[in-house]
Amino acid sequence: MASLNVGNLGEYLREQRRQAQLSLRQLADAAGVSNPYLSQIERGLRKPSADILQQLAKALRISAETLYVQAGILDERDRDEVETRAVILADPSLNERQKQVLLQIYDSFRKENAPAADAAGAGAAATVDADDEPPQTNRL
């Protein structure tokens, strides 16, 4: 697990709060945390637990995984998937049913393409190392 990057997390939380048009007090109340504690998180002075991040994500109506990535809890390699999900979940022009259907379709495409990605990764792993001898050729 990576170390927590609370400075960037705080900036990200503040931006999400502003986009949601919530005051610090409103978000703190909605997430069930104290106003001073949330202020300290936004200023990068506190490292919130995964549970607190989940409460904040729910109050902001964003995915908890997005906050986990910002906090350095979730591996960076998963960022693209998390961001895609976050964009779908944050789209105000879609209703909840439409968001869930889009996420199901996205998941099915990822599962369908996973064998091809695994095969590509296996092919890259089978490349010749510098210590290996080159293949023999017949010379006439």
Side-chain angles (χ1 to χ4, degrees):
M1 179 161 61
S3 63
L4 292 178
N5 191 354
V6 289
N8 287 343
L9 171 64
E11 293 169 16
Y12 182 79
L13 273 173
R14 182 179 297 117
E15 181 59 31
Q16 292 301 310
R17 178 176 57 78
R18 288 179 178 159
Q19 285 181 6
Q21 299 179 340
L22 294 171
S23 70
L24 191 71
R25 185 173 307 277
Q26 289 171 321
L27 178 56
D29 288 344
V33 299
S34 74
N35 191 36
Y37 182 63
L38 180 56
S39 175
Q40 291 173 346
I41 293 171
E42 283 193 359
R43 290 182 289 141
L45 303 175
R46 290 287 191 150
K47 297 178 183 179
S49 68
D51 289 337
I52 297 295
L53 290 173
Q54 187 172 15
Q55 290 170 231
L56 289 167
K58 185 176 180 182
L60 289 167
R61 298 181 57 90
I62 62 175
S63 76
E65 290 82 5
T66 301
L67 292 183
Y68 296 158
V69 169
Q70 289 296 321
I73 294 172
L74 191 62
D75 193 346
E76 191 72 26
R77 290 174 289 175
D78 298 328
R79 183 178 205 119
D80 289 340
E81 179 185 353
V82 169
E83 287 179 349
T84 301
R85 290 176 174 284
V87 167
I88 291 170
L89 291 170
D91 189 333
S93 66
L94 301 174
N95 65 40
E96 291 303 314
R97 186 187 63 77
Q98 291 168 330
K99 291 175 184 179
Q100 292 307 312
V101 169
L102 274 175
L103 289 173
Q104 289 172 352
I105 293 168
Y106 177 68
D107 286 340
S108 71
F109 284 149
R110 286 184 53 84
K111 286 178 187 170
E112 181 180 315
N113 294 335
D118 291 343
T127 59
V128 177
D129 289 339
D131 294 339
D132 291 344
E133 291 188 27
Q136 297 295 319
T137 58
N138 291 333
R139 293 187 182 171
L140 296 176

